[in-house]
Amino acid sequence: MQYSDWKKELQQTEKDPRVLLGKVDLQHLAAQLADRSQQSFPMRAPRSFTARIKRADPDDVLLRQILPVSEEDTSTGGFETDPLSESEYQPVPGILHKYHGRALLVVTGACAIHCRYCFRRHFPYADANPSPNQWNSAVEYLNSREELREIILSGGDPLTLTNDRLGRLFRKLADIRHLQRLRIHSRIPVVLPDRIDTGFLEILHSTRFEPVLVVHANHAREIDTNAIHAINKIRQTGVTVFNQAVLLRGINDSIPALKDLSNTLFDAGIIPYYLHMLDPVQGAAHFEVE
């Protein structure tokens, strides 16, 4: 299925887990849904992603990544709301600076999809999210730290921003002469491929940076024809595309699954790069591979 208006699809994401279960013939799973976690971290997934879910399969690897289940409401020892201690590394709103040569800019709190294992599911975006008027303080900080060579755009998902806002941000960052590399972390080319439009491609093509894009796919079935087409358009601008995956119980915790993922990524022109262990975020313990 093709969606020509990515902004409209972003507004019409699936948000009701019971409705989604009905669409995939799994209504009987409604009793297993989370209550508290669904309120604090609601389900969200583009229809271009949910259309790939297998019907009547409770163990579908795409469904498991987005469905809020009752295990999330159980408090688990060793799992924290801030598993990477990011609150300790925020010199100004929107900036995470943990390492000498690079910093991360939390561009937005918005995502096209809410992955249930997300390590930022409890992140205080209201306090740390840089609105356009806060970008100035973030840019001033980056400008003052001449040891920085790389800036990472993260979130949320940076590609939920409009091309106009992204373009303005790219230009602000490009004016910081000691920044040499720009890295974008985004799940959108995989889950909402129509977002990769002409305007975004022009931003990539026109910047003085040689951008690197890190997409996020955990299973080969996430890389469908539309995602491959979007990635090809990005690669044609000269951007290097890597993938990061998280090792997740019941999704990719087997050699065949990881082999298929790597082969599918290579075939799509994406370099398998990161395979992360699950960050111990509260609410995601049922994804831990033991």
Side-chain angles (χ1 to χ4, degrees):
M1 183 179 296
Q2 289 280 357
Y3 296 86
S4 59
D5 186 344
W6 69 269
K7 296 177 186 176
K8 184 176 181 180
E9 191 190 352
L10 199 58
Q11 294 170 352
Q12 297 178 344
T13 53
E14 297 285 2
K15 300 176 183 177
D16 189 328
R18 287 175 172 79
V19 170
L20 176 61
L21 289 175
K23 289 181 178 180
V24 297
D25 299 330
L26 290 169
Q27 298 93 326
H28 65 282
L29 296 184
Q32 302 176 25
L33 293 173
D35 182 17
R36 186 173 67 253
S37 293
Q38 166 64 6
Q39 298 301 315
S40 61
F41 188 56
M43 190 190 84
R44 183 177 178 87
R47 295 177 183 178
S48 56
F49 183 85
T50 59
R52 307 173 214 172
I53 294 173
K54 292 181 179 179
R55 301 179 72 86
D57 182 357
D59 297 318
D60 179 77
V61 295
L62 305 187
L63 179 66
R64 281 178 54 82
Q65 294 184 54
I66 62 171
L67 189 69
V69 294
S70 57
E71 288 93 334
E72 296 183 28
D73 290 340
T74 301
S75 181
T76 304
F79 284 72
E80 311 292 340
T81 57
D82 184 12
L84 302 184
S85 302
E86 291 186 318
S87 60
E88 300 176 14
Y89 299 97
Q90 297 183 55
V92 297
I95 293 289
L96 297 177
H97 189 183
K98 297 177 69 173
Y99 305 105
H100 177 77
R102 69 177 183 267
L104 184 148
L105 178 58
V106 180
V107 174
T108 176
C111 272
I113 188 168
H114 284 176
C115 304
R116 306 315 300 177
Y117 50 86
C118 180
F119 70 95
R120 289 200 182 121
R121 58 182 292 165
H122 304 288
F123 192 80
Y125 287 108
D127 300 324
N129 182 26
S131 60
N133 61 337
Q134 290 178 309
W135 280 352
N136 290 334
S137 62
V139 169
E140 288 173 4
Y141 176 84
L142 297 174
N143 216 2
S144 70
R145 303 302 295 262
E146 294 188 2
E147 77 275 14
L148 292 174
R149 293 294 180 266
E150 181 178 61
I151 181 67
I152 302 169
L153 303 187
S154 184
D157 195 308
L159 299 193
T160 59
L161 269 60
T162 63
N163 291 332
D164 179 65
R165 288 187 66 193
L166 269 179
R168 284 189 282 121
L169 178 58
F170 270 54
R171 290 189 291 274
K172 285 178 178 290
L173 296 174
D175 286 339
I176 304 175
R177 304 313 300 179
H178 54 263
L179 290 180
Q180 299 173 352
R181 292 178 298 277
L182 183 144
R183 181 150 47 112
I184 307 165
H185 282 221
S186 175
R187 191 133 158 76
I188 278 184
V190 173
V191 303
L192 183 56
D194 282 344
R195 168 63 184 94
I196 310 306
D197 58 13
T198 302
F200 175 63
L201 296 172
E202 177 58 29
I203 291 171
L204 295 179
H205 180 73
S206 61
T207 182
R208 73 164 176 86
F209 294 113
E210 294 184 5
V212 172
L213 174 66
V214 182
V215 297
H216 177 183
N218 300 306
H219 194 276
R221 280 189 40 229
E222 297 178 51
I223 311 298
D224 68 352
T225 301
N226 291 337
I228 293 172
H229 181 61
I231 295 298
N232 284 338
K233 291 193 293 184
I234 292 170
R235 292 177 61 234
Q236 287 168 6
T237 68
V239 173
T240 301
V241 183
F242 295 103
N243 184 69
Q244 63 177 354
V246 180
L247 190 63
L248 300 168
R249 184 198 302 177
I251 294 172
N252 59 10
D253 56 337
S254 70
I255 292 175
L258 292 175
K259 180 180 176 180
D260 286 347
L261 174 60
S262 291
N263 286 334
T264 301
L265 290 168
F266 276 124
D267 290 344
I270 306 169
I271 302 170
Y273 191 51
Y274 295 114
L275 178 59
H276 297 289
M277 296 299 291
L278 178 74
D279 290 314
V281 62
Q282 193 64 248
H286 57 294
F287 287 112
E288 186 176 30
V289 176
E290 299 175 351

